[in-house]
Amino acid sequence: MLKLIASDMDGTLLNDQKEIYPHMAAVVQALYEKGIRFVVASGRQLESLTCYFSSVAAPMTYIAENGGLAYEDNRCVYARSLDPKDVKQITTLMRSLPGAYVIYGTAGGSFVEGAHTQDDWDYLSRFYAKLSPVDDILSLLSKKEICKVTVCDRRGAEKRAWPLLEEKLALRLKVTLSGQDWVDVSGQNVNKGEALRFLQKRYGVKPDECAAIGDYLNDVELLQSCGQSYAMKNAHPQLFSSATQITKEDNNHFGACRVICRLAGIPMPEKR
């Protein structure tokens, strides 16, 4: 019996315009009424997730910052942080890469160094609801616990920031390509799957009673933590081998929402 469904956001529940299915609130409510817990699992901060579900009356569970934090509604129930020495090394490496900027994720919001233009801010505002600029991001290390460091490399993260960070850090940290422009660095055992395993134990739910949906390489462990796993039709090619199935529709045709409704045995509300 299915008791929990976990879904990524960008490239999964959201289309390329960062829009969610118009009746997603009704879908979440229907899941709740059937006794199925819905978990949003994203590399985003909490504040840029809750805005998509503000009209949902049912209790919500969020895995944010790629598994660095987990929340029940707005209450943090799980947190993992990086060693400040590692944060400093990541930052120093990325300062040497032109065009890349560093973002620190914390439980109280995110902080960015290097985003100077209006174009930078217009882009980042699509992903961050609570983001503050700082001149020297390393000054935060004595004040904040950093759960994840994100590098935004709009010149192509897969060919620039990702291999550089992998080469220098992969032996002791988890370096994940989480989008075309994004690389996330966290503790070696910090990922969406570990956070979901914590929630499975918390709720008394077995892996084979869970399903997960994702589209990028930061979803590998999430898919592996569930008995049923779906890679989006539009997923990164390397993700397909981690999933038991592939969605028939991509994110621009709300393929994830269609799978969720089918798994739960509920009708998919049609757009008006």
Side-chain angles (χ1 to χ4, degrees), residues 63-79:
I63 294 172
E65 303 287 4
N66 265 353
L69 299 166
Y71 297 84
E72 291 173 349
D73 291 319
N74 291 312
R75 184 170 66 93
C76 185
V77 296
Y78 176 91

Side-chain angles (χ1 to χ4, degrees), residues 61-256:
T61 305
Y62 300 93
I63 294 172
E65 303 287 4
N66 265 353
L69 299 166
Y71 297 84
E72 291 173 349
D73 291 319
N74 291 312
R75 184 170 66 93
C76 185
V77 296
Y78 176 91
R80 297 291 183 269
S81 60
L82 277 164
D83 188 311
K85 292 180 181 178
D86 291 326
V87 176
K88 185 175 182 179
Q89 183 180 4
I90 299 162
T91 304
T92 302
L93 276 172
M94 289 300 97
R95 281 175 170 174
S96 69
L97 187 66
Y101 37 91
V102 177
I103 302 166
Y104 288 179
T106 78
S110 299
F111 302 85
V112 62
E113 176 186 275
H116 300 301
T117 69
Q118 187 60 50
D119 181 61
D120 289 337
W121 281 100
D122 289 344
Y123 182 72
L124 290 172
S125 65
R126 299 170 65 194
F127 304 93
Y128 288 89
K130 191 174 183 182
L131 182 67
S132 302
V134 290
D135 293 327
D136 180 10
I137 203 164
L138 290 176
S139 66
L140 297 174
L141 293 184
S142 61
K143 307 169 188 177
K144 303 282 185 180
E145 287 196 354
I146 313 301
C147 63
K148 184 190 72 174
V149 176
T150 295
V151 176
C152 183
D153 182 0
R154 296 178 67 188
R155 299 183 188 179
E158 188 164 358
K159 293 184 179 179
R160 293 192 347 130
W162 188 38
L164 178 59
L165 290 165
E166 278 263 301
E167 178 188 358
K168 300 293 185 181
L169 304 172
L171 290 178
R172 71 177 190 281
L173 296 173
K174 183 167 182 59
V175 180
T176 307
L177 183 69
S178 54
Q180 181 177 336
D181 302 327
W182 305 94
V183 182
D184 291 323
V185 186
S186 54
Q188 189 64 256
N189 295 315
V190 178
N191 55 68
K192 295 181 186 180
E194 282 300 308
L196 186 63
R197 289 185 185 95
F198 166 83
L199 294 173
Q200 287 169 339
K201 292 178 181 178
R202 184 175 177 86
Y203 303 142
V205 177
K206 299 175 183 177
D208 61 6
E209 296 173 322
C210 302
I213 312 170
D215 79 304
Y216 234 82
L217 303 187
N218 59 334
D219 295 315
V220 169
E221 294 87 356
L222 179 71
L223 301 190
Q224 292 173 343
S225 67
C226 295
Q228 297 184 66
S229 57
Y230 290 79
M232 294 295 295
K233 182 179 181 180
N234 53 282
H236 190 289
Q238 292 182 31
L239 187 67
F240 293 135
S241 62
S242 297
T244 58
Q245 298 185 62
I246 300 171
T247 66
K248 293 181 180 179
E249 294 90 4
D250 63 18
N251 64 312
N252 289 319
H253 296 86
F254 303 109

